[in-house]
């Protein structure tokens, strides 16, 4: 028995308020709506509308039917515990609607994994460290569910692990022991990916490892186990290899997910690779647990397709998502996995006869049936919530020019049906309702069965409201135009004209990662951004950088990229623009390679005075430093603090004066991003972690520490001055006294005294970046690594009902 004594209780109500001693703050999500990979759904069999969704880097949410949105459950996760902000698997107790179990942990390399155990539907949790690692963001996260509650014994929780075999808890997931009777630990880093109890037979359990012949069963409560007889042992006969150069990655089909129908039929999906990417082959089987008869039910050429469509034959891909109706054991839905670059990319199938025949719902859902289009998807008009609020970043009409993860549109007029479709649910309370997750959102239909019966397109809408799962790479808040401009991993970035409503993505060029964005201090609608874009760099134009002169609505691509930029590297570096919007400065995020060795790029940040056509190296600074900032008032002025030296350019980035930091009052320090006062030329701050915050009012000729010596800013930003004050409000993420709580703090007296802005219930795994707003006193934007962006405002006598609105909510 593996016992851990450490437990702690997190009993924070999912409230929208974070009280501090002096002021209350309201935290709201900036509405993107979805934005990351949805990995699984669970629904309670007996309480209508009680369902949960998990995501790979953003943890879990509960559906609230009254509020019509998903509610985040684990925002109390601290920066130190950021690995716990990912749900590997989750489970409900079929006999108790209040109990919820979350298996938390993002990466196998971390030793920090835990069970979050709730007795009130996720309002509060007991946290128990887990004796094995978890991998919510690892290969195989699409499979599951690994975690299961014994329906005959609610204290008994089982978990298929990735590296340590099958485990069991007899005290509601507090302590765990190894089920050593399980014959094979399948310690291949994917391990045992599902555990299913037969609710009709006390003691019967199925466990499936993502490995050939990985399906096992027990009929004596787990004391003894056997391989399920008759399971597929090779790929023979499953399909014809269409391309003889690619054979399956596994020697036999590997179980991905399974579901047990009320008639005792186990439906199992298979692939040749764990997924969510890289699956080339797959099949679908049913196993009659009474007669022990296996049937191949893989969709094939005999299925029905709405004319003029034809069976999908290329490429094969595998199968993953599967769900069976509670009221009809022969009604099931199924998703393909990794058919890309197939036309859909992935497909959803419906069977009403236990898998004997299938209807291709993807083709049925495609508007303007025209086989010559060659692509299937949703109408772009369907990228809306059920109440009509649009999710426009999902529905742009940009043709096939860009196909990155977030790229939702395969051809003009269509939104992609989906990819990485592994989360799939027929509502247990109403079989007409079906939801599926993708790499970016959730699609839902309320009339799937009746529409399919009538050979019509089902109604579809987006049901991801409340889920904010983006990774914030950069953001800025100009003093004109939209208050927030963001850059995300995978889905480019957005001009947040309205913080509470989903916005369009920035227009072409689209970036898979938007790494850096800036605005011109005296011309705040002049915006510049750089990011990764692997798809369109062969036409002699630089598609990794762009300029907007109207606040981020329309964009012009740079004429050229900076020399030696590695265009396939995932980080395009840092871009800034001077106050007058006449000079751009761009520092590469990578050093080019010679063979496998990086060669030192001895240029400093390149500058351009013609809007990104010609780029030149400066004198006086010879590092591609990311720690570069433009003065917002004085034209042509840039600052950098790199390798303990302070650099200033006043001639548009052409030459820099370097001064050793210790000569002008700075401590010895590697480097930091200078933060400027948007209203005063030459007023600059440097956040230097355990050294505190330093400030200059003369362009860096002299510096002094402005914070007390125990202030430790891990992140720093400034926002609009408090009423009556002439200096900006400071915000830090860090600590304000030795050994104090890590949190978000605000100072209105140049760093002498600090007030806490957040509380323990609002930590979001620690921000990646914070940003003040130069136009709203007290507001700070909090960018996270999996919980999107939040905006925190001082609450002036608000009542609870006045703050629950907003698609993101808290
Ligand atoms: C939904 O939200 C309402 C209003 O806050 C609350 O009363 C109710 O308990 C919530 N239900 C669930 C299942 O979260
Ligand atoms: C986890 O690893 C870190 C870093 O190696 C170490 O400091 C810490 O003590 C470990 N924690 C546990 C619970 O093993
Ligand atoms: C289930 O089986 C176990 C072991 O045989 C037995 O102890 C238990 O009482 C059974 N539970 C129910 C609800 O039948
Ligand atoms: C758990 O049991 C499996 C056998 O099923 C064994 O391979 C594995 O090493 C055990 N792990 C631990 C931590 O005891
Ligand atoms: C494989 O190809 C052969 C010959 O074309 C055909 O007879 C057979 O039905 C195919 N098998 C499958 C599973 O598609
Ligand atoms: C790719 O390049 C072509 C030719 O320059 C251009 O028409 C198209 O808009 C570009 N697509 C993207 C996504 O940048
Ligand atoms: C600017 O973008 C808007 C919104 O996408 C579009 O309607 C308009 O046509 C664009 N204008 C130009 C000049 O491209
Ligand atoms: C560019 O970056 C990619 C991805 O890191 C790397 O594989 C490639 O070798 C790099 N190329 C050069 C020329 O540096
Ligand atoms: C940039 O600043 C960071 C701290 O934010 C520091 O770790 C890094 O070394 C600096 N890089 C340079 C080149 O100065
Ligand atoms: C650069 O250094 C020179 C010599 O010390 C000094 O005269 C000049 O004012 C400096 N320029 C800036 C912009 O700091
Ligand atoms: C639609 O629902 C979302 C999420 O509950 C909400 O934020 C939005 O205001 C609603 N829109 C309308 C038009 O009611
Ligand atoms: C102990 C108990 O109440 N068990 C019930 C749990 O629910 C299943 C159905 O899901 C019943 O069969 C059990 O009797």
């Amino acid at each position: 028995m593996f016992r851990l004594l450490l437990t702690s209780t997190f009993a924070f109500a999912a409230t929208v308020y974070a009280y501090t001693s002096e002021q209350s703050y309201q935290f709201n999500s900036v509405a993107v709506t979805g934005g990351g990979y949805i990995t699984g759904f669970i629904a309670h069999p007996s309480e209508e509308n009680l369902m949960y969704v998990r995501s790979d880097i953003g943890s879990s949410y509960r559906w609230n039917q009254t509020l019509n949105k998903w509610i985040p459950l684990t925002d109390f996760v601290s920066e130190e515990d950021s690995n716990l902000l990912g749900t590997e698997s989750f489970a409900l107790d079929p006999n108790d609607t209040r109990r919820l179990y979350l298996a938390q942990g993002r990466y196998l390399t971390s030793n920090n994994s835990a069970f979050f155990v709730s007795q009130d539907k996720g309002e509060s949790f007991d946290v128990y460290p887990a004796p094995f690692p978890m991998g919510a963001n690892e290969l195989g996260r699409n499979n599951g569910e690994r975690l299961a509650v014994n329906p005959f014994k609610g204290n008994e929780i089982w978990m298929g692990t990735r590296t340590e075999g099958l485990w069991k808890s007899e005290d509601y997931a507090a302590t765990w022991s190894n089920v050593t009777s399980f014959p094979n630990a399948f310690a291949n880093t994917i391990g045992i990916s599902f555990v299913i109890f037969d609710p009709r037979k006390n003691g019967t359990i199925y466990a499936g490892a993502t490995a050939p012949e990985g399906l096992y069963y027990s009929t004596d409560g787990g004391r003894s186990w056997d391989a399920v007889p008759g399971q597929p042992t090779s790929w023979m006969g499953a399909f014809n290899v269409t391309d003889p150069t690619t054979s399956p990655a596994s020697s036999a089909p590997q179980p991905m997910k399974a579901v047990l129908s009320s008639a005792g039929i186990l439906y199992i999906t298979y692939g040749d690779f764990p997924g969510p990417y890289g699956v080339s082959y797959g099949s679908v089987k049913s196993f009659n647990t009474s007669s022990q008869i296996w049937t191949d039910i893989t969709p094939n050429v005999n299925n029905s397709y709405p004319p003029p469509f034809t069976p999908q034959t290329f490429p094969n891909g595998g199968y993953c998502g599967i769900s069976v109706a509670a009221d009809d054991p022969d009604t099931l839905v199924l998703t393909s996995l990794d058919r890309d670059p197939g036309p859909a990319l992935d497909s959803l199938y419906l069977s009403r006869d236990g898998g004997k025949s299938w209807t291709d719902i993807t083709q049925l859902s495609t508007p303007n049936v025209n086989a010559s289009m060659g692509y299937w998807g949703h109408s772009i008009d369907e990228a809306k919530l059920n109440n009509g609020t649009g999710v426009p970043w999902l529905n742009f009409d940009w043709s096939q020019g860009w196909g990155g993860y977030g790229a939702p549109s395969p051809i003009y007029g269509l939104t992609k049906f989906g990819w990485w479709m592994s989360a799939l649910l027929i509502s247990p309370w109403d079989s007409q309702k079906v939801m599926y997750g993708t790499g970016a959102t959730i699609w839902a239909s309320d009339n799937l069965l009746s529409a399919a019966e009538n050979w019509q397109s089902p109604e579809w809408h987006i049901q991801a409201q409340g889920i904010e799962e983006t990774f914030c790479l950069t953001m800025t808040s100009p003093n004109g135009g939209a208050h927030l401009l963001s850059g995300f991993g995978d889905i480019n970035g957005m001009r947040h004209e309205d913080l509470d409503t989903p916005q369009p993505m920035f227009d072409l060029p689209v970036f898979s990662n938007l790494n850096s964005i800036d605005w011109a201090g005296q011309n705040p609608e002049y915006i510049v951004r750089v990011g990764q874009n692997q798809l369109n760099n062969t036409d002699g134009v630089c598609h990794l950088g762009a300029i907007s002169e109207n606040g981020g609505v329309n964009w012009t691509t740079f004429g050229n990229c900076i020399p030696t930029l590695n265009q396939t590297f995932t980080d395009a570096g840092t871009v800034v623009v001077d106050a007058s919007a006449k000079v751009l400065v761009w520092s590469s995020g990578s050093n080019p390679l010679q063979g496998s060795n990086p060669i030192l790029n001895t240029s400093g940040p390149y500058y351009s005075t013609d809007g990104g056509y010609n780029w030149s190296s400066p004198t006086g600074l010879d590092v591609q430093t990311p720690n570069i900032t433009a003065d917002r008032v004085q034209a042509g002025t840039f600052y950098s603090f790199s390798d303990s030296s302070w650099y200033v350019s006043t001639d548009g980035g052409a030459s820099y004066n370097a001064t050793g930091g210790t000569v002008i009052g700075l401590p010895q320090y590697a480097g930091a991003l200078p933060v400027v006062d948007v209203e005063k030329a030459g007023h600059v701050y440097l956040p230097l972690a355990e050294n505190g915050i330093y400030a200059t009012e003369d362009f860096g000729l002299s510096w002094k520490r402005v914070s007390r010596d125990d202030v430790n800013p891990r992140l720093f930003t400034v926002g609009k001055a408090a009423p009556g004050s002439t200096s900006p409000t400071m915000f830090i993420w860090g600590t304000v006294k030795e050994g104090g709580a890590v949190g978000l703090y605000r100072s209105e007296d140049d760093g002498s005294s600090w007030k806490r802005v957040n509380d323990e219930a609002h930590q979001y795994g620690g921000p990646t970046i914070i940003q003040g707003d130069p136009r709203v006193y007290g507001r700070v934007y909090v960018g996270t690594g999996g919980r999107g962006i939040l905006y925190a405002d001082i609450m002036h006598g608000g009542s609870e009902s006045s703050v629950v609105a907003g698609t993101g909510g808290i």
Side-chain angles (χ1 to χ4, degrees):
M1 168 86 61
F2 200 111
R3 278 197 177 271
L4 281 149
L5 300 174
L6 263 172
T7 71
S8 48
T9 299
F10 290 92
F12 301 117
T15 161
V16 288
Y17 305 112
Y19 292 100
T20 65
S21 53
E22 328 219 8
Q23 244 152 348
S24 52
Y25 255 85
Q26 178 192 332
F27 282 72
N28 269 304
S29 282
V30 172
V32 169
T33 299
Y37 182 27
I38 303 297
T39 46
F41 299 117
I42 45 172
H44 201 277
S46 60
E47 183 176 322
E48 192 168 353
N49 296 320
L50 181 57
M51 58 183 177
Y52 301 84
V53 62
R54 66 177 161 102
S55 66
D56 55 0
I57 58 165
S59 202
S60 292
Y61 294 76
R62 181 185 64 242
W63 178 250
N64 187 307
Q65 182 72 16
T66 314
L67 300 177
N68 187 38
K69 66 178 179 181
W70 298 95
I71 308 295
L73 301 179
T74 64
D75 287 344
F76 59 82
V77 170
S78 68
E79 179 167 53
E80 193 186 5
D81 281 339
S82 63
N83 193 61
L84 301 182
L85 203 69
T87 301
E88 167 86 302
S89 187
F90 50 9
L92 298 175
D93 184 336
N95 293 105
D96 186 342
T97 60
R98 295 162 307 165
R99 285 189 179 272
L100 168 70
Y101 300 89
L102 306 179
Q104 299 290 107
R106 282 179 179 170
Y107 299 106
L108 284 171
T109 48
S110 167
N111 59 10
N112 189 11
S113 55
F115 289 94
F116 289 9
V117 177
S118 177
Q119 298 185 57
D120 54 11
K121 302 178 180 172
E123 287 293 308
S124 65
F125 291 95
D126 289 327
V127 173
Y128 302 102
F132 37 77
M134 297 183 194
N137 197 30
E138 302 272 10
L139 270 179
R141 57 197 186 274
N142 43 299
N143 300 333
E145 293 296 327
R146 297 170 179 276
L147 197 62
V149 178
N150 185 344
F152 298 91
K153 215 175 172 191
N155 61 312
E156 203 177 280
I157 322 297
W158 290 64
M159 176 137 176
T161 77
R162 288 174 173 267
T163 58
E164 302 295 339
L166 184 64
W167 288 60
K168 170 176 133 176
S169 168
E170 294 185 294
D171 54 7
Y172 303 93
T175 63
W176 290 80
S177 59
N178 196 349
V179 180
T180 48
S181 60
F182 198 77
N184 186 337
F186 290 103
N188 59 1
T189 75
I190 315 299
I192 298 155
S193 39
F194 60 81
V195 176
I196 294 173
F197 280 88
D198 188 335
R200 301 159 315 144
K201 292 187 191 150
N202 186 4
T204 296
I205 317 170
Y206 298 88
T210 301
E213 300 176 62
L215 190 62
Y216 285 78
Y217 75 111
S218 171
T219 54
D220 57 7
R223 273 185 291 284
S224 65
W225 293 86
D226 281 302
V228 174
Q231 65 183 296
T233 57
S234 81
W235 288 103
M236 288 288 287
F239 48 77
N240 287 330
V241 176
T242 47
D243 174 359
T245 61
T246 59
S247 25
S250 65
S251 61
Q254 307 191 135
M256 308 283 267
K257 276 179 175 279
V259 58
L260 185 63
S261 79
S262 57
I265 310 293
L266 192 65
Y267 296 106
I268 307 136
T269 53
Y270 289 92
D272 69 332
F273 195 72
Y277 55 83
V279 184
S280 302
Y281 296 94
S283 58
V284 192
K285 309 273 181 192
S286 69
F287 174 66
N288 184 320
T289 60
S290 308
S291 68
Q292 307 229 316
I293 291 172
W294 282 87
T295 309
D296 184 277
I297 58 166
T298 311
N300 60 36
V301 292
N302 300 322
N303 298 322
S304 38
Y305 295 84
F309 288 127
T310 51
Q312 294 195 36
T313 52
F314 169 83
N316 293 294
Y319 295 90
C320 189
I322 189 148
S323 184
V324 63
D327 58 356
D328 176 9
D330 288 332
T331 292
L332 59 153
V333 285
L334 168 74
T335 55
S336 68
L337 184 62
D338 293 351
R339 207 165 256 168
D340 45 317
L345 305 168
D346 272 313
S347 292
L348 173 67
Y349 299 93
L350 168 71
S351 177
R352 306 302 304 271
D353 55 12
K356 284 197 212 43
S357 68
W358 297 94
T359 301
D360 184 334
I361 296 295
T362 311
Q363 297 187 34
L364 198 57
S365 300
T366 303
N368 308 318
V369 171
N370 176 352
S372 65
M373 285 198 313
Y375 279 95
W376 303 312
H378 292 292
S379 156
I380 59 166
D381 300 335
E382 287 175 337
K384 292 188 175 115
L385 309 184
N386 59 352
N387 65 10
T389 293
V391 187
W393 69 272
L394 284 169
N395 73 2
F396 45 52
D397 270 1
W398 286 348
S399 87
Q400 326 177 30
W402 185 67
Y405 287 138
S409 177
I411 65 159
Y412 194 82
L414 288 185
T415 288
K416 275 179 187 169
F417 200 81
W419 68 106
W420 288 17
M421 287 158 49
S422 53
L424 179 62
L425 182 72
I426 300 187
S427 159
W429 331 285
D430 179 354
S431 300
Q432 291 287 348
K433 294 190 177 175
V434 172
M435 282 196 308
Y436 69 89
T438 75
T441 194
I442 296 169
W443 286 94
S445 174
D446 287 342
N447 70 346
L448 192 91
L449 303 190
S450 54
E453 259 157 35
N454 296 319
W455 215 243
Q456 284 168 355
S457 171
E459 165 277 328
W460 288 103
H461 57 272
I462 300 290
Q463 193 168 339
Q465 62 269 31
I467 298 174
E468 294 298 341
E469 204 206 336
T470 49
F471 194 116
C472 180
L473 295 173
T474 183
M475 62 176 157
T476 192
S477 181
N479 62 3
H483 280 250
L484 180 67
L485 304 169
S486 62
F488 295 119
D490 291 346
I491 64 162
N492 195 22
M494 292 175 196
R495 173 182 192 270
H496 298 273
E497 175 126 24
D498 177 343
L499 299 174
D500 301 320
T501 308
Q503 300 293 307
M505 260 189 205
F506 286 136
D507 214 327
L508 292 175
V510 171
F511 302 151
S512 359
N513 288 338
L514 198 166
N515 301 111
S516 180
I517 191 162
D518 200 27
W519 54 282
Q522 299 303 304
N523 186 356
E525 301 227 44
Y526 188 99
I527 315 293
V528 57
R529 61 176 161 107
V530 298
Q532 180 205 22
N533 170 348
Q534 299 182 352
L535 286 137
N536 214 354
N537 300 320
T538 53
D539 56 5
V541 180
C542 178
H543 293 277
L544 283 73
I547 292 164
S548 170
E549 298 193 47
N550 59 1
V553 179
N554 302 94
W555 295 87
T556 310
T557 302
F558 286 177
N560 287 296
C561 287
I562 51 176
T564 71
L565 182 76
N566 181 341
Q567 301 204 8
T568 58
F569 196 66
T570 52
D571 183 352
T574 304
V575 73
V576 291
V577 54
D578 86 314
S580 68
K582 296 218 164 56
V583 187
L584 309 182
V585 166
W586 184 1
S587 207
S588 169
S590 66
N591 279 323
L593 296 180
Q594 200 156 47
S596 57
N597 301 317
I599 44 177
L600 201 58
N601 182 349
T602 54
S603 171
Y606 298 94
Y607 67 100
S608 172
T609 54
D610 56 8
Y613 281 88
N614 292 294
W615 296 95
S616 310
S617 294
T619 57
L621 175 56
D622 60 7
V623 187
Q624 293 288 306
T625 179
N627 300 324
I628 184 143
T629 306
D631 194 283
R632 298 280 184 216
V633 180
Q634 179 171 296
T637 303
F638 298 94
Y639 308 108
S640 179
F641 184 51
S642 297
D643 291 335
S644 285
S645 288
W646 174 249
Y647 297 88
V648 184
S649 172
T650 53
D651 59 2
S655 68
Y656 290 82
N657 262 18
T659 318
T662 50
V663 177
I664 48 179
L666 288 168
Q668 200 75 29
Y669 198 80
L673 183 69
V675 173
V676 294
D677 182 333
V678 304
E679 286 174 1
K680 297 193 197 103
H683 285 228
V684 190
Y685 302 92
L686 283 174
L688 302 181
E690 64 282 0
N691 296 285
I693 300 161
Y694 281 73
T696 178
E697 296 184 354
D698 56 10
F699 298 86
L701 291 177
S702 62
W703 291 86
K704 63 171 198 262
R705 191 177 67 201
V706 293
S707 60
R708 284 196 325 260
D709 64 359
D710 49 2
V711 172
N712 183 339
R714 298 182 187 184
L715 301 171
F716 175 82
T717 184
V718 295
K720 185 178 170 68
S725 169
T726 53
S727 48
T729 303
M730 292 179 174
F731 298 92
I732 68 161
W733 177 265
T735 52
V736 296
K737 65 172 185 232
E738 202 73 44
V742 175
L744 190 57
Y745 295 89
R746 181 179 103 222
S747 172
E748 288 166 11
D749 55 9
D750 291 314
S752 302
S753 65
W754 296 86
K755 296 170 187 167
R756 182 93 186 254
V757 168
N758 75 328
D759 62 12
E760 301 295 300
H762 300 84
Q763 301 190 74
Y764 314 103
T768 52
I769 179 170
I770 58 174
Q771 175 65 55
D773 189 316
R775 287 175 279 169
V776 182
Y777 160 60
R779 176 177 294 175
V780 59
Y781 302 95
V782 179
T784 73
R787 270 287 285 128
I789 301 174
L790 299 108
Y791 67 102
D793 277 333
I794 294 172
M795 202 171 62
H796 303 284
S799 70
E800 187 153 10
S801 61
S802 68
V803 295
V804 290
T807 307
I810 186 167

